[in-house]
Amino acid sequence: MFTTLKTLIAGANARAEERVKDAFAIELIDQKIRDSDAQLRAAKATLASLIQRQRSEKRILDALQGRIDTMMRRAEDALASEREDLARQAADAVATMENEAQLRQGTVDRLEAKVIRLRGSVEVAHRRLIDLKQGAVTARAIRREQQVQGSLRTTIGNTSAADEAEELIARVVGRDDPFEQSQILQGIEADLNHESLDARMEAQGFGPVTKVTADQVLDRLKRK
């Protein structure tokens, strides 16, 4: 039971973590890029320090080698002048300096190897950081497109406003014309009161004339 609960809790935590990563993906990408940039700057500073130390050791080694060459010439001159005591002292000094030179040469070689390795790592990290920054630009563009598409789907999916507009248009367009309706009602009333029948028969000359016409008025004028 405890194992099952532990598994369920771990699964819930993993899903929650994935949701957080999805929601804040761009922010996480930017933070990782800042971290990588800081690490790259630290690596560059270390590389610069190693190069500076290598150059310093190389200068010391060159100066030491120059002193050895000078002391060898002095020892040769002392032997040529039969000053073996001075020549031996010079030889002791040369031996000491050569031992030091070997140690310094080893240090220079090790520093040079470190510089080569670190320089390669810095170059790789630099190219990778450029790729990450370009990827971040692409990710932000895709996220903006997704947000626009999501907003568009929400707008299109919400058809209530469009439905209401169509219903209002249909109500206005389909509404009966009150003037036409009034004329129809008048006609119905006339039929019910037989007024329309009287008018038709009067117009055809049946029965007395109940309505004065323009022809009747003209006829009266002519008879005067």
Side-chain angles (χ1 to χ4, degrees):
M1 183 67 179
F2 178 75
T3 303
T4 302
L5 290 175
K6 184 178 179 181
T7 302
L8 292 174
I9 293 173
N13 291 335
R15 289 192 296 272
E17 183 178 357
E18 290 298 324
R19 286 194 294 270
V20 170
K21 286 182 178 180
D22 290 338
F24 298 96
I26 301 300
E27 291 79 2
L28 290 173
I29 290 172
D30 290 339
Q31 183 58 46
K32 294 300 181 182
I33 289 176
R34 286 192 291 269
D35 293 342
S36 299
D37 197 8
Q39 293 173 357
L40 179 59
R41 288 197 300 271
K44 288 179 179 179
T46 302
L47 177 60
S49 178
L50 284 175
I51 292 174
Q52 186 178 15
R53 184 180 172 191
Q54 179 198 17
R55 291 177 179 177
S56 177
E57 289 291 335
K58 188 65 170 59
R59 286 193 296 268
I60 293 174
L61 180 60
D62 292 341
L64 185 58
Q65 190 61 50
R67 289 172 58 194
I68 291 173
D69 294 340
T70 300
M71 189 61 68
M72 286 294 293
R73 288 195 299 269
R74 294 185 189 281
E76 291 173 356
D77 292 341
L79 286 174
S81 300
E82 297 182 355
R83 292 294 306 271
E84 186 174 349
D85 56 333
L86 293 177
R88 180 173 292 278
Q89 292 178 12
D92 289 339
V94 168
T96 302
M97 288 187 291
E98 285 184 348
N99 289 329
E100 182 182 355
Q102 289 179 0
L103 293 175
R104 291 193 178 277
Q105 183 63 55
T107 301
V108 170
D109 293 340
R110 287 193 298 272
L111 288 173
E112 183 177 1
K114 289 182 179 180
V115 166
I116 293 174
R117 288 197 301 270
L118 186 54
R119 188 188 297 274
S121 299
V122 167
E123 291 176 353
V124 171
H126 178 70
R127 290 193 298 269
R128 188 177 183 185
L129 184 60
I130 291 175
D131 293 339
L132 287 175
K133 289 181 178 180
Q134 292 176 346
V137 172
T138 302
R140 279 192 288 269
I142 292 175
R143 176 55 61 87
R144 284 195 296 269
E145 182 180 354
Q146 291 173 345
Q147 291 174 347
V148 170
Q149 289 178 351
S151 177
L152 182 61
R153 283 196 300 269
T154 302
T155 303
I156 294 176
N158 185 13
T159 59
S160 59
D163 292 341
E164 291 177 2
E166 291 179 353
E167 182 180 354
L168 290 172
I169 292 173
R171 286 169 60 89
V172 173
V173 173
R175 183 174 296 174
D176 295 334
D177 186 354
F179 180 73
E180 181 181 5
Q181 187 178 22
S182 176
Q183 289 182 327
I184 293 173
L185 288 174
Q186 289 178 0
I188 292 173
E189 290 293 336
D191 289 338
L192 291 175
N193 295 329
H194 305 293
E195 293 178 357
S196 60
L197 178 60
D198 290 340
R200 289 198 303 272
M201 294 183 69
E202 180 181 351
Q204 295 178 18
F206 299 106
V209 177
T210 59
K211 189 175 182 180
V212 179
T213 64
D215 292 337
Q216 291 174 345
V217 174
L218 289 174
D219 184 60
R220 287 202 306 270
L221 291 173
K222 289 178 181 180
R223 284 198 299 269
K224 288 183 178 180

